[in-house]
Amino acid sequence: MSRSYYIAGNWKMHNTRAQSAELAQALVTELKDGKHKYLVAPTFSSIETVSAIVEGTNIRLGAQNCAAEEQGAHTGEVSVLQLKDLGVQTIILGHSERRHTYKEDDVLINKKVKLALKHGFEVILCIGELLEEREAGKVEEVCERQTVKGLEGVDASDLGNVVIAYEPVWAIGTGKTATPEDAEVVHAFVRKVIACLYGDNAASKMIIQYGGSVKADNAAQLMAMENIDGALVGGASLKVDTFVPIAKFKS
Ligand code: PEP
């Protein structure tokens, strides 16, 4: 089963509107002939600016989070309705910074996943173990739990709008990348979990990105692995010079 590669940039809490616009504009130019699927997820305050630049191009517009409710008294939160209004197509959910710094649990993440899918968004569901969980031999247990609970109640008919990003937490922003072989073991395991939940056909179609210090010099080796279908890129997505070589990696 051939899956297309999907390269996403998570800009986190970086960039003013002007800086975001400059980066987005350069990416539109550089990636217009790119062969893969692309996404940028700016910080909330830059989404509208970037939306106007990427609209109608081969770069999708992402958000880094959303509220678990549609609207109401939720100070500081941003709703799926507001993201839709800005042209957002994809929402990253369950990122390790949301899980561990902001204490989002599987129940809350699952609520957001279902709400985003109900409103027609594509969801990138991030999963991944902490270093102590890896050292305790719990990689599979953690990734299985986060996948199963994250997708609880998600109908098979919505699965085409779900992407999984395996991001070992110890590799995020640390410069330590999982070896392609180590990452592949987990990706293959997660695909098996999807097969148990939804069947082999659905599992064979599921895009599973790798995230964690992906750089130009390791992207091709990672994505050469059978079950690694792209990358969710943090730090290296903030500069054209570092993101474009990843986005245009040679398969
Ligand atoms: C991320 O935050 O999703 C990420 C993978 O970050 P980095 O590429 O900087 O490790």
Side-chain angles (χ1 to χ4, degrees):
M1 164 87 218
S2 67
R3 295 175 293 269
S4 47
Y5 290 105
Y6 189 1
I7 319 291
N10 172 10
W11 296 355
K12 307 195 183 185
M13 198 175 68
H14 294 286
N15 290 340
T16 61
R17 284 177 299 161
Q19 290 165 330
S20 300
E22 194 183 335
L23 178 55
Q25 195 61 66
L27 292 176
V28 165
T29 305
E30 293 288 335
L31 298 181
K32 69 175 186 307
D33 302 320
K35 290 187 295 189
H36 310 307
K37 181 175 172 182
Y38 303 118
L39 170 126
V40 292
T43 193
F44 281 131
S45 58
S46 291
I47 288 179
E48 186 169 16
T49 303
V50 173
S51 181
I53 295 168
V54 300
E55 191 183 354
T57 73
N58 62 342
I59 302 179
R60 297 175 67 85
L61 182 64
Q64 301 168 18
N65 190 18
C66 68
E69 307 292 337
E70 257 165 34
Q71 56 192 325
H74 298 284
T75 303
E77 295 287 305
V78 177
S79 138
V80 284
L81 304 177
Q82 294 154 345
L83 296 178
K84 180 133 286 183
D85 186 41
L86 295 175
V88 167
Q89 297 157 294
T90 301
I91 307 179
I92 299 171
L93 292 170
H95 188 279
S96 71
E97 286 146 22
R98 300 304 317 171
R99 288 181 189 269
H100 300 293
T101 311
Y102 296 98
K103 307 296 174 213
E104 293 195 8
D105 62 15
D106 288 316
V107 173
L108 180 68
I109 293 162
N110 174 249
K111 203 168 168 193
K112 293 182 180 193
V113 167
K114 286 190 287 196
L115 184 65
L117 291 172
K118 178 180 150 201
H119 284 274
F121 290 94
E122 177 182 76
V123 165
I124 298 179
L125 172 63
C126 302
I127 61 164
E129 81 286 355
L130 296 162
L131 183 59
E132 56 263 38
E133 291 167 333
R134 173 162 283 257
E135 286 172 348
K138 292 186 173 163
V139 176
E140 294 193 348
E141 181 187 320
V142 170
C143 291
E144 179 170 13
R145 190 198 72 231
Q146 292 178 347
T147 303
V148 171
K149 296 210 166 194
L151 296 178
E152 201 168 283
V154 170
D155 197 81
S157 61
D158 277 329
L159 220 56
N161 274 333
V162 175
V163 171
I164 306 274
Y166 168 58
E167 302 204 299
V169 182
W170 48 270
I172 296 180
T174 59
K176 290 183 198 155
T177 321
T179 64
E181 293 74 19
D182 282 349
E184 170 64 14
V185 168
V186 184
H187 281 238
F189 173 75
V190 172
R191 200 176 299 287
K192 247 195 269 161
V193 172
I194 299 292
C196 287
L197 293 173
Y198 295 100
D200 288 341
N201 188 37
S204 72
K205 290 184 187 149
M206 175 66 66
I207 302 290
I208 308 178
Q209 297 171 322
Y210 169 80
S213 299
V214 175
K215 306 274 184 280
D217 60 7
N218 58 27
Q221 289 153 294
L222 284 159
M223 288 186 269
M225 305 310 285
E226 189 182 337
N227 288 287
I228 301 183
D229 309 314
L232 179 53
V233 185
S237 72
L238 291 171
K239 292 210 160 42
V240 185
D241 292 355
T242 48
F243 189 62
V244 169
I246 298 172
K248 290 189 156 176
F249 85 99
K250 295 255 184 331
S251 50

